[in-house]
Amino acid sequence: MMEQGSEEDMESSWTLLSLLASSVMVFGSAVPYFPQYQEIQRTNNTEGFSTRICLLLLIANILRIFFWIGKQFELSLLLQSVVMIVTMFSMLHLTCSIQTSNQVSTKQHHITDLDLRYFWSWSSFEDYLMFCFAFTLMCAFITFFFLDWVLFVEALGSLAVMFEAMLGLPQLVQNYNNRSTRGMSVKMVLLWTAGDIFKTTYFVINESPTQFMVCGAVQILIDIAILLQVGYYGQDSRIKLG
């Protein structure tokens, strides 16, 4: 009886731990953007944050949702995508508001201009919503026809994690071009790193699709590269960045 009770306690503890890990997976991915959001609000400046991060994560998570339709993996990863999409829209809404209030020129750029020079540099938040809506419709249309094709589903998953794995790359490039990490929240990158280590471990333990594990490993490497930039650019880049 004691052994049975002990086994039940262990099973209950493991279930609780698993639930906690799943909750962290769902909401933890959004946490790194809180310091960056506050930094942009505080400084009323968006130059240190690359909105291309939002582009990559929106594409990655929209694709992941369609990947889930074709291959039902952990529900927590699906919910994580929904939370991340909402978070990225929040970041875009803030940056658009700040840029509009700081804008000196009256020239506006919109998605309907069909000018590739200003792709993802539009003046209105509605333009970003329109792009994501059109992209989602296109994915839905293609997935509807190829959902029963295993190679298509696997390719969809690979594309999703490829975009997600590259999420830190725009920030890495922007820091390099600016020769500074001023305006970028270091807390955000530290939380990226901690989160990527956690989720990669989670993927391995839960035997998630291989694409997710590869994605996590690449993200950790890019996070480390950005942190190295913080040290390399010296004191000028260490004036509170997050």
Side-chain angles (χ1 to χ4, degrees), residues 180-195:
S180 172
T181 53
R182 185 189 297 273
M184 179 197 77
S185 172
V186 174
K187 286 182 181 178
M188 177 184 72
V189 183
L190 288 172
L191 288 170
W192 270 355
T193 308

Side-chain angles (χ1 to χ4, degrees), residues 62 66 69 134-146:
I62 290 171
F66 286 103
I69 293 173
F135 181 74
T136 302
L137 280 183
M138 182 188 73
C139 289
F141 180 79
I142 296 173
T143 303
F144 176 78
F145 284 101
F146 296 101

Side-chain angles (χ1 to χ4, degrees), residues 81-99:
S81 290
V82 175
V83 170
M84 184 56 70
I85 288 171
V86 173
T87 302
M88 290 303 100
F89 279 141
S90 298
M91 293 297 297
L92 284 172
H93 184 268
L94 176 65
T95 54
C96 285
S97 300
I98 297 294
Q99 289 169 357

